[in-house]
Amino acid sequence: MKRLLATALLLASLVAAPLPAQQSGRLVIEAGRIVTQAGPDIENGRIVIDGGRITAVGKAEEVEKPWDATVIGGKEFVAVPGFVEAHTSQGMDRANENIDVAPFLDIRDSIDPVAYFFEDCLRLGITTVNVQQGANCVVGGRGMVVRPVGMTVEEMAVRPLFGLKLSTRPKGGKSRATQMQALRFAFEDLKLYLEGLVEKERDDAGYAKREALFQGRDLEAEAAQGRAMSGNAWKVDGLELVPRGALDERYAPLLELLEGRYTAFVHCGDPLDVVHALEVVRAQGILARTVLVIESDCWKAADRIAEAGVPVILEGGLLDVQRDPITGEEVETFVPRVLQEKGIRFALSSEDPNTRAPAYQAALAVAYGMERTAALDAVTRVPAEILGLGDEVGSLERGKLGNVLLCSGDPLSVAGWVEHVVIEGRLVYERAKDVRNKHLLEGVQPLGTAPPTSAEAGEDPEHEHEKKADEDKGGSEKDAGDEQKEKEDGGR
Amino acid sequence: MLLLLAPLLVTPSPGDDDWTIQAATVHTVSGAPIENGFVRVQGGKIAAVGKGGGGATLECAAVTPGLIDLALGIDTGPLSVEQSSETAARLRASEGLDLFSYRWERALRSGITTALAQPADYDVIGGLGLVLKTGGAPTLAARLVKPEACLRGAFGAQPSNGNSIPRFQEPQSFYFRRPTTRMGVEWVFRKAFHDTLQGQGEDDPATAADHAVLRRVLAGELPLVVQAKATQDVRTAIYLKEEFGIPRMVLDHAIEAWREPELLKRSGVAVILPPFTADGRHADGFVNDSYFLPLDAARKLHEWGVPFALSAHEGAGAGARLADQAAAAQRGGLPLAAALEAVTLTPARLLGVEARVGSLEAGKDADLVLWNGPPLQPTSRIIGVLLQGRLVLDPRSK
Amino acid sequence: MSARLFGLALVAAPLGLFAPRAGDGPATPAGRGFVAVRAGTVHLVEEGRVLSGATVLVKDGKIQAVGSDVPLPPDALVVDYGPDAVIVPGLVAAYSAYALGFPSERTADPTLAALDAFDTYRVYGDALSGGVTSAYLTPADNRLIAGTGAVVKLAGQRDAARVLSAEAALHGAIDASARATPGYWDPPIPVMVDVELGYARPQLPRTTMGAIVALGELLDLAADPDDARLVSEYGPRTGPALARALAARVPLRLSASDAEEIRALLGFAAERRVPLVLDRAEGAGPVAAEIAAAGVPVVYRLPYSPNAPAVDRGKEEDARWPTLDVPAQLVKAGARVAITGSAPRDLLFAARLASRGGLEPAAALRAITLAPAEILGVAQRVGSLRAGKDADLCVLNGDPLAPGTSVLATWVDGEVAWTPAQHASKEDDGRASRATVIEVEELHVGDGEVLRPGQLLMQDGRIREVGARVSRPRGATVVRGKTCMPGMIDAFGHLGLEGSRKVPGTDFTLATILDPGDALDRRVARQGITTVVLTPRSASDSGAPVAAYKPAARELDHLMVADPAALRLRWDDPVRLRSGQNVRALLAKAQEYRQKWLEYEQAMAKWVPPAEPAAEPEKKEDEKAGEAKEGEKSEGEAKEEKKEESDKKEDKKDEKKDSKSKKKKGEPEELEPDPITGLWQADVALPEPAAPAKLKLRAKLAKAGESAAVEGNLRCDALSATLVEFEGWFDREARTLTLSGVGSRGWVELSGELKEGKLAIKARADGQEHEATLERTSKDYVVAGRSERGTEKSETPKEPKGKPREPKRDGKLEPLRRAMDGTAALVVEVERARDILECVAACNQAGIRPVLYGAREAHLVLDQIAGKVAGVLPSPTVVVAEAERGTDYRTPYAELQNAGIRVAFPSEAEEGAIDLPLRAAYAVANGMSPEGALRALTADAAAMLAIDGRVGRLAPGLDADVLLLDGPPLDPATSVLRAWVAGEEVEAH
């Protein structure tokens, strides 16, 4: 509790108290170099953001500066589009329900706006996050795309009710066969249920009409509006007779998935899961709106993925290490390169806290021989497109949202820190004011426990005592943090 | 698409062990980096290092000495621990070493060519560590660099953990006891050295053997490598160093050493840093506590002039490669040169094997690491490794 | 030649398939045009046809033509495996666990599809390495209907073409495994928005009849999927799914073990007219005819798993030990049979075993190719070589059913899917001496030497002569046969422990807990295991004793071969740094100890006895001499004779002492059985004409005043030809003993009465009465000349002055001392390579060549230990697959032997020892030389355990433990016809 409060205050210090300039909603960002991810980099350029959107990007001399705009940045900075986290199961109190099929769940009820995770997102330069339920399910709940700022879920929301989680990787306590069984049954059940409804509706059509009348609805119009079941794979005739209100909320989301309302994020633990995933989404006719969330091993199924033309989010490590069963040698495979060679659109999104920094992953990709731009695309453009935000975020172009990072030097280098984060024209993060970051970097002590001076360093038992006490406090506080992390990691 | 790694034991064909490596930058560590220089290797040793040069058999962006990890963690695990007494200075880690573990191969591939193997930290004084190569024929003889390189000790929670009854076995006797608190650990440590100085209980050959080792430590022949994670452990270690006048002490896994600048400077201990974590926390599995390691710890030590080495601890995991640690340290503000030294020459010095490894100088072992870009940067990786002149990771295989 | 080279090149290509790769199948030239695969022999299996020098012409993964004179297209690529190679159709495994997953909680769940768990990205190298190209996937086990099984190809492209049949069978069971169904269907807890509170329902089956009822109900449900009751019983989805499957004529494949279950199923299938396939069918023998009549095909699963530790099958007289003749019977009766092994890769071996049961080769081969293909309904694509079928070939280096034949290459869809990886007594006791001569075509001496023809003469329990022609004593029985070999040695077994898990001290005399030749022992011996190296199931830190004995010996005297035969120590210590410390310590002690003795002996040599010379010392001395000189028979015998005499003396002394002491201690003690073993054992002198007999009693200790239950046995030819096993009780009040047991000639009754420490015994058998008195004697047997321990003690007090004091005997160190003299073995449990090296070094340094037990990593240090160890007892796992080496299976037994290191087969079981020859055969099937395997079972085992002075070979002077076989040894098709132990034939009870 104490910690939460602390964080709340901390976060408040980051996002609250908007700069006066932001009333005018005009912000000018200047940088020695602008990495637009939409064409060549711009040496010492200028970005103008008005009303949250980019109105101009270009060389400083070409873009004129509105008189009333606030100016941030400077020659020493490199401007980069805000990174996009294409898929994560963090930032929730817990990642998984223990129900096999639970499309009726909604991430929004679970998102914790003050979770460290979102704070870290800013630190790492992630400005758009797609939060989805964990993979330990058969059919999971609906997720949402958020910006990592705001004290309430509403403030954070970018796309509420976005995407629905499926998993072909056997859930805990399930074998491959039983997982697939459950997945198929989920859709069969839906069909049976809908047919049942229509039956019932036909039996007392009159009642339905009266009901509709009473509700002031126009059934034909509804049907025309395509409210009826319009899945590509299979239909249920006469569903338009059923008022949507009558649909059991347990099934509604699944129906909407089939109707293409949601993107399906299908989690695949290994290549066979990929095959199964594609089989299922094809059978349900939602291939077009499918994204595979894959572990490293899945590169073996790259051909299938390429053939299906679905984009993937690489959640596992970028490097897949395994033994050749014949020679006994260890074989390292750099997964992004495989995906690239097969022409698969992929986004990077590590779940390992030590390697999840988008910049680090891009750097790793470069180390293994990928083009800089391509590497950065995998954490900006591509995830944006996957989330259907292609023309909103992911690059620095006129008309897109003003999500900009100002880095001290090349973001892929060890020296490159995210100094400022601008989200939709609002300066939401300044490293200079980031106490926790300072703590992480320099180990600033909790209040009242300054490092001992040479005088104190002696063997003064008195001092030893209070020192120890303080540290224990510090320790326990950190533990609270650990538990928090565990919660987030839980069951993923 | 996939790079097949050359098997570790390439059968040497004639000329197999003779190379001339041309690199945009040759980081000798001992001296200033040489722009487009070369390293010539003959018969497993470095024949020459210089500028220009021709007839290269291998080319790459940068060459550095083979990396050295003083906390590789490839030992026989907790089972390699003598349980019958908490001071077992006479024991040798070599006895329990598993040379057939695949993790040596991984370490080698991640650029680590020399490593320190020690007993795990369940005893206060755990035994003698040895320095050995991470590759070559799987025999001690073939890999050994220095048989008795250091004495291993440990402070804090680990050696005093779970001692209510001894691990892995029934208590031998009603009187079986081992320290169960930090104080107890300190007491055992102090007693060992005290008895050594007094020559007490040496009629028991085991004790005598222990004391013989401890004397070598006191004489400065052997460095004493002690695990000291938390601040209070760091202090305890340093106080004891000063109390008994232990000449060479290295604090291993010294997560919170950075909190004690004065003590470090005053006592002249060296430090081995554990890997950096995303949130700076290092949970201590043995007590419900976690210690904090800031990203700039290395920089601090560097500025204070405290000799330190970086380590990957359990470096087998892809996540915690030694090179990544060096990169992280730089992110914390450590200059490249210092980072490089902290994974090559410094560790070599700490264990007194700098005559053979740690830098690129004529006459030293030809342990080289070849990079596809500036070394120890996240945007570049290790593409080749030579171990004693033998190509164990081939930069040409793509 | 060039063609052959090309062939190899082609063979090399597909190995890429094993390396993980994004691309699908390998790119062999086969895809492009015609490929002609040649071999000396080609089994078409189609109506049993066999072609010699034939060609299989392949294009686009299909067989275009097969024949001796197939016209080759000009561009055809020829792969010639040479004249010795044999091509058979890719084998079809009718059982595999590749898709085995959790069963549903329902008793019947046809919607669980095995195909879902078929991982096309997995490399099925294990099966391919055994020539298996297609396999049936079992969805799950332990349910009445566990799910739907499928049939798939184990290599090839990763697409639908690999699925031969998506719904091959409704897989289930009615035997014991089905009864593993949870008794109640548990509604999901906790109850949630989407799960209403269900209530528990009982589920069938618990019995066979229950199973049949349930099956019936399921069919009803299929007929009427809306039957409310059944729906609630078996779940909403079961009915429709079943209906669909049955409509598609998908057979029910149900495993039934014994005849009753099979009958029940047959009846059911006939009544309900459902297609049925019998699975497992272990006990189908008796009902073969009915099965055939019903036209129900059988998937017979071999009840052995030779690659796992042996299984104890049950000790009761009527325990069903599995037999191998079931498939043969079924085929004879005219039923369709597919044979499967425990693992797909052992299919060929399974067929060989079946052929041992009498199945003729053609049928055996068919049972692992075409028959399963037909039964699984995929015969149109696989199972035989015929134009139009898939080009799945299994190329062998010899006859499919010959032992040791192995796979050269496995082809799937016209491409090479797998090739071998590129990578190693005592004297006559007065009974009428029986001489037996055995004449055979092949006499295997055991050490590799083979006499063709060979003859052997045994007499007085010993082998007298071996050669091409031996003398014929008058009245000698002559046995003619095909092959004979030495009795086999279970190099590390537990037979005789009778389940005991006790860990006795290393100085404990195992002999004292052993009974000679009871029914079980004989049963084992008749399967060929005549000597068992007995060791407790586990060892304490200080080790455990090891004794060698012959379970089936009729004579107490023949019973023990050596006790202790060896000392068993453990090198590995959970605390690695301490590994070997105890061994090192012990060795050090032992060396001191031995030193003491050597000094003592030298002293003795010098010492001149005073006036009345004691016979003892000299004996002791050249005894030692005898022991020191290893293996020299004459010496050994001399020694034993002398000892014998001494023993007799000792016994007398013993008795005297006893009777003396009797006076002091009150009577009751006298018949207190030995506190450790609870044993009486003694000579009973029965009056002529009866030959002397041996009575052995074991009493359960009981509080004074109660009657003690007594059991025991009597060996007395006058009363019974077989060992008489007694039961009875000892009344402490009346001090009388009453025993009775069945002998070969009916009841034998013993009644005894205790009078001043002597037990007067009356034996009544077939009318006659015999009387005898019994005195308690030392607990030590008077056998194998190992009674020193008892006697030495009794003797030490009355030593003349000046005689050097004999060092105290230390039962714990004695074995080690003997090991140093080379008259006993030291068995050390050690696993890791480093430890092995250190252990061997330590032992050698102490002058001992140890026997390594376990030695998991021995293969890493073969040449370092070669010549430094007496031998190795590898773990019972014959074939080891290592993660590092994937489908490259190692056979440690072979590796060690090739490195010149002796190996032997440990059973680590009791009567399970009978599986040893099977395991040896398995080792041969996996690369061990047959001759080597034979050695391992006989001569080598004996040599490494230092009992080669008694057993292990067919050589003059050794004990006459002889087996008569009906074929070459270790051929799975061979079985033991007759067995002799110490010259006595082992008869059934």
Side-chain angles (χ1 to χ4, degrees), chain A residues 470-487:
Chain A
D470 294 333
E471 267 172 6
D472 295 347
K473 226 189 284 115
S476 58
E477 190 178 26
K478 289 165 199 156
D479 290 340
D482 286 334
E483 283 156 31
Q484 160 78 8
K485 284 193 69 53
E486 275 152 30
K487 267 194 215 148

Side-chain angles (χ1 to χ4, degrees), chain A residues 98-99 174-175 177 180-181 184-185 188-189 250 271-272 275-276 299-301 303-304 322 324-326 328, chain C residues 18-24 102 109 111-113 116-119 121 158 192-194 237 423 884-887:
Chain A
N98 56 358
I99 307 173
K174 283 199 185 301
S175 67
M180 285 306 288
Q181 202 183 19
R184 293 204 191 91
F185 287 172
E188 277 177 31
D189 285 344
R250 270 192 282 150
L272 181 57
V275 178
H276 281 157
W299 62 265
K300 290 182 199 154
D303 286 357
R304 295 302 193 83
Q322 49 183 275
D324 181 318
I326 282 294
Chain C
F18 291 91
R21 44 182 293 157
D24 280 344
F102 303 125
D109 185 357
T111 58
L112 184 69
D116 282 336
F118 172 49
D119 187 348
Y121 290 87
R158 294 182 179 123
M192 276 173 245
V193 270
D194 70 334
R237 287 197 177 76
H423 293 93
E884 285 80 11
R885 319 239 331 235
T887 62

Side-chain angles (χ1 to χ4, degrees), chain C residues 213-236:
Chain C
V213 170
L215 283 175
E217 290 186 338
L218 282 166
L219 292 191
D220 300 342
L221 180 59
D224 169 15
D226 306 331
D227 180 322
R229 185 185 73 80
L230 294 178
V231 167
S232 72
E233 192 82 17
Y234 296 97

